[in-house]
Amino acid sequence: MKYKLLINSQNSALIRDFFVSSHEQFSCMSTTEYWEDLYRHYMSYTPNAYVTVFEHKDVQQLALFKKLKELTTEEYIPIVVVTDEEGAAYIENEQENYVDLVITRPINIAGIYQRIFNLVDELEQQRLKRIEEERIKREKEEAEEKARKEAAKQLGKKKEDRFGGVSEREYLIDKFVSGDYQVLVAIKC
C-alpha cells in the first residue's frame, strides 16, 4: 500500500529525494511552514503523515505541530521530524510534545523511509482493526435488537400447555368471545 506524505523542508535535497526515490512506498506533496498553506494542503491531500525537517530550535514550528494535532483529532495524522541530535533533545524536552517520531540524523534516506513507513503502516493497521471491531460491534448490536424485536413479536403467540395448547393471545380472545371475560385484556402483539 502506498501512503501519502505531506512534506515541509527548507532542505531541497531531502524534498528531491522524497519525490524521486520514495515512489514505491509513498506519494508525496510538499508544503510550507505557513499555517494557511499547510492547512489547505492537508485538507485537499489528506496525508497519512506530516514530515518536516527541524533545522533549528523553532518555537513557531512547535506551535504548528500543536495546531496540526488539534486539527486532526478525528483522523489522526502522525508528525515525523527529521533533525540532528540537538533538535531531537530540544523536541523531547518540550512539555507539550506533539511529535510522534523523531528521526535523528545522520541517517540515509532509505532509513528515513523505513522508519516513516513502519510508523504509518502500524497506525493504518490499528485504524483498520478499529474499523473492523466497530463493524462487528454494530452488527452484534443490530442482531441483538432484531432478536429483541422478534421475541417481542412472539410474546403471547407461542403455544403453551398452560393455555390448553394454544397461545396466550388465542386463549384470551377465546375467553372474551365465549363471555368468560367481560373486557378484552390488552395483549402485547
Side-chain angles (χ1 to χ4, degrees):
M1 177 177 196
K2 244 183 170 178
Y3 294 113
K4 296 188 296 185
L5 301 180
L6 187 57
I7 304 168
N8 171 26
S9 176
Q10 303 280 329
N11 184 335
S12 60
L14 181 68
I15 294 281
R16 184 188 66 244
D17 285 343
F18 266 100
F19 277 95
V20 172
S21 26
S22 69
H23 58 82
E24 290 180 20
Q25 294 174 316
F26 303 111
S27 172
C28 301
M29 175 183 257
S30 62
T31 191
T32 67
E33 70 275 4
Y34 300 107
W35 174 247
E36 292 78 14
D37 192 37
L38 174 60
Y39 176 78
R40 286 186 189 104
H41 284 128
Y42 173 79
M43 296 306 287
S44 65
Y45 192 58
T46 59
N48 296 100
Y50 172 69
V51 180
T52 188
V53 176
F54 197 73
E55 298 290 348
H56 54 279
K57 296 177 184 176
D58 186 349
V59 176
Q60 287 181 325
Q61 200 168 21
L62 293 176
L64 191 70
F65 298 160
K66 180 180 180 180
K67 283 177 89 170
L68 188 59
K69 283 296 183 180
E70 290 170 351
L71 172 70
T72 63
T73 53
E74 187 70 27
E75 280 298 318
Y76 183 78
I77 180 174
I79 295 175
V80 178
V81 175
V82 180
T83 189
D84 57 17
E85 287 183 21
E86 183 181 344
Y90 179 72
I91 290 169
E92 290 172 10
N93 288 331
E94 281 298 305
Q95 281 188 337
E96 292 184 293
N97 188 349
Y98 297 97
V99 178
D100 297 281
L101 176 63
V102 176
I103 300 173
T104 307
R105 294 181 303 209
I107 185 172
N108 64 22
I109 195 72
I112 293 173
Y113 292 161
Q114 192 59 52
R115 302 254 333 260
I116 294 171
F117 183 83
N118 291 346
L119 172 69
V120 173
D121 193 56
E122 179 184 336
L123 291 172
E124 180 64 11
Q125 296 308 317
Q126 289 173 4
R127 185 184 75 80
L128 292 173
K129 182 180 177 185
R130 190 174 55 253
I131 288 170
E132 180 65 12
E133 288 170 350
E134 288 170 0
R135 182 190 63 78
I136 290 169
K137 180 182 176 187
R138 188 176 53 254
E139 286 177 357
K140 182 180 176 186
E141 288 171 351
E142 288 170 0
E144 288 172 352
E145 180 65 22
K146 185 178 178 181
R148 274 193 298 277
K149 285 181 179 179
E150 188 59 36
K153 280 183 185 178
Q154 296 304 319
L155 188 63
K157 293 183 180 178
K158 183 178 171 187
K159 295 184 179 188
E160 297 182 39
D161 291 336
R162 66 184 176 143
F163 299 116
V166 296
S167 70
E168 180 181 16
R169 182 175 197 264
E170 291 173 41
Y171 176 80
L172 291 172
I173 291 171
D174 287 344
K175 289 290 188 180
F176 176 73
V177 170
S178 67
D180 292 339
Y181 290 157
Q182 296 298 318
V183 177
L184 183 59
V185 179
I187 306 169
K188 291 182 184 177
C189 3

